[in-house]
Amino acid sequence: MGTQYNAPDGWASVVDGAGRGALEGVRIADFSRVLAGPYATMLLADLGADVVKVERPGTGDDTRAWHPPADHDGTSTYFLSVNRNKRSVVLDLTTEADREQARALAAESDVLVENFRPGTMERLGLGHQELRARHPELVYCSISGFGGGAGAAIPGYDLLVQAVGGLMSVTGDVRGEPVKAGVALVDVITGLHASLGILAALRHRDATGEGQLVEVNLLGSLLSAMVNQASAFAVAGVVPGRMGNAHPSIAPYETFPTADRPLALAVGTDRQFAALAEAVGDPGLALDDRFRTNADRVAHRPELRDLLVERLSAAGADHWSAVLLAAGVPAGPVNTLDDAFAFARKLGLPGIVDIPAAPADGEAGRPSRQVAHPIALSGTPARYRLPPPRLGQHTAEILHGPQLI
């Protein structure tokens, strides 16, 4: 069971301090930093895993310095976004004494996650083969930008992968330049793939007693996540290009201007199109030979767009959203992020949780406002046990004190 209360702005907040998480008893030695690895380990920590975050002395995870924006005591919100429910230990991996401490930590762990440039962990004596010899049950997850082969020397930055991996080539207006997604989407997708691989390897380990190496890379994750666009090339040899907000295979499936702000229409069936035509006051559109079927509408997208723009200009996005949703047509305004969280709240979705302050080396800790875990489990829900740690906050506890939480 958890403690439930209201944050000052009315957001419902849940903090689970009791009950078993689905991954309780699983320890993860987390040598990753920035985004893909920390996002994966945070998701697993929310589900009960004990994640020990290994950071370098002085600076710690790179994202600790990535601000503004920052919270009330100057901590980067980027770092805060992917590091809750973790304990921080500082180890200087350039020294043999601390490398031995790292090997001991790995030997006490079920999972190790790292995203150093390929070959780095091997040079430090912390590679998969060496640790597996000491701990054959270890699940070792290695995250890279472009794999450990010919791409090993290429730095794995999200923007670079969005560019060379083709995502930017299909993102942006047809008349403009390629643009990146507004968040480090490839890192997030890779983190999801890493967490899935770790869970699969743990399932195998539980059945056989054998650990294994889990490898994911940013480029491979992006190519998989390109789904229909990648399949269009793989199967039909089609090289897609930028279409703005339009869809290559569905129409109308894009944003449209209204009397105030843009409206997204996601019409996927002929029935929905007929309902759209009725709702905008022109039922004859659904009978027009140019628009009877989805294939017809795709073939005549420019004409259809012009007609819809004319009709939708009569009112604002919120009006049309209400009218169209009532008619069974998927539609909604293009929200800012504050609007998006308000929308989630209106729908009864958690959106934001508050984690109370935790003591930090005898000092008063800080509370932390966090975006809620996205997976709902009926029996073992996500638990919010710890705010993101201060650098090295748990070093003494982990190296010399109680080991599992």
Side-chain angles (χ1 to χ4, degrees):
M1 300 296 292
T3 301
Q4 205 171 66
Y5 61 97
N6 288 327
D9 65 356
W11 281 104
S13 302
V14 178
V15 179
D16 280 314
R20 293 183 60 85
L23 298 178
E24 187 166 330
V26 172
R27 160 170 286 195
I28 300 174
D30 184 7
F31 289 80
S32 68
R33 64 256 189 257
V34 186
L35 183 51
Y39 184 65
T41 55
M42 182 184 74
L43 294 179
L44 300 175
D46 290 351
L47 298 178
D50 172 25
V51 175
V52 176
K53 183 176 180 68
V54 178
E55 302 188 72
R56 61 178 177 267
T59 56
D61 190 307
D62 302 75
T63 60
R64 287 185 181 274
W66 288 8
H67 52 72
D71 72 355
H72 59 276
D73 67 355
T75 302
S76 160
T77 59
Y78 200 123
F79 174 82
L80 295 174
S81 71
V82 288
N83 285 292
R84 65 170 173 254
N85 284 335
K86 301 178 185 180
R87 299 185 292 163
S88 172
V89 57
V90 167
L91 290 175
D92 183 355
L93 298 181
T94 66
T95 70
E96 179 54 34
D98 279 13
R99 287 197 294 270
E100 187 54 39
Q101 292 272 27
R103 285 188 281 268
L105 175 63
E108 297 169 351
S109 300
D110 301 281
V111 179
L112 183 147
V113 180
E114 63 91 12
N115 63 350
F116 288 100
R117 186 169 294 189
T120 300
M121 290 291 274
E122 285 74 16
R123 289 194 296 273
L124 294 172
L126 294 165
H128 172 248
Q129 291 298 331
E130 180 170 339
L131 294 184
R132 180 178 172 83
R134 300 174 58 160
H135 183 18
E137 299 86 9
L138 181 67
V139 171
Y140 191 109
C141 179
S142 181
I143 302 171
S144 66
F146 299 90
I154 305 175
Y157 285 89
D158 186 276
L159 172 62
L160 177 61
V161 181
Q162 288 198 36
V164 302
L167 180 58
M168 289 176 64
S169 76
V170 299
T171 307
D173 188 83
V174 65
R175 297 175 297 276
E177 64 175 325
V179 298
K180 69 177 181 66
V183 296
L185 189 63
V186 181
D187 274 321
V188 172
I189 293 167
T190 305
L192 291 170
H193 289 168
S195 60
L196 175 61
I198 289 167
L199 292 175
L202 284 173
R203 175 69 178 88
H204 175 77
R205 193 278 308 271
D206 290 345
T208 66
E210 298 177 355
Q212 62 181 294
L213 176 63
V214 177
E215 294 181 287
V216 296
N217 65 80
L218 301 181
L219 179 59
S221 292
L222 174 57
L223 293 177
S224 174
M226 294 282 283
V227 288
N228 60 302
Q229 300 280 40
S231 180
F233 170 73
V235 176
V238 174
V239 178
R242 297 188 302 284
M243 297 181 63
N245 290 318
H247 192 286
S249 306
I250 311 172
Y253 197 98
E254 57 184 296
T255 57
F256 293 83
T258 70
D260 49 20
R261 55 177 172 155
L263 177 79
L265 291 180
V267 177
T269 69
D270 295 340
R271 182 196 61 78
Q272 289 174 348
F273 182 70
L276 168 66
E278 183 77 29
V280 298
D282 193 353
L285 286 177
L287 303 176
D288 190 313
D289 288 340
R290 297 172 298 172
F291 311 134
R292 284 182 183 274
T293 69
N294 178 68
D296 296 328
R297 294 190 292 275
V298 171
H300 298 91
R301 183 186 286 113
E303 302 100 298
L304 176 58
R305 178 176 174 82
D306 288 344
L307 290 168
L308 289 175
V309 167
E310 180 182 349
R311 284 148 181 79
L312 293 170
S313 65
D318 289 337
H319 166 82
W320 286 120
S321 179
V323 168
L324 293 172
L325 287 175
V329 180
V334 177
N335 283 332
T336 57
L337 197 54
D338 54 340
D339 291 332
F341 275 111
F343 183 54
R345 180 185 180 187
K346 180 180 178 181
L347 299 179
L349 300 175
I352 290 177
V353 295
D354 282 311
I355 305 177
D361 303 326
E363 300 178 9
R366 61 174 182 269
S368 182
R369 178 157 289 188
Q370 296 276 306
V371 179
H373 188 93
I375 301 170
L377 296 174
S378 62
T380 53
R383 299 165 58 201
Y384 306 99
R385 309 182 305 279
L386 297 171
R390 295 180 179 177
L391 178 61
Q393 179 178 340
H394 306 94
T395 299
E397 170 187 318
I398 291 167
L399 300 183
H400 309 295
Q403 296 300 301
L404 289 173
I405 59 173

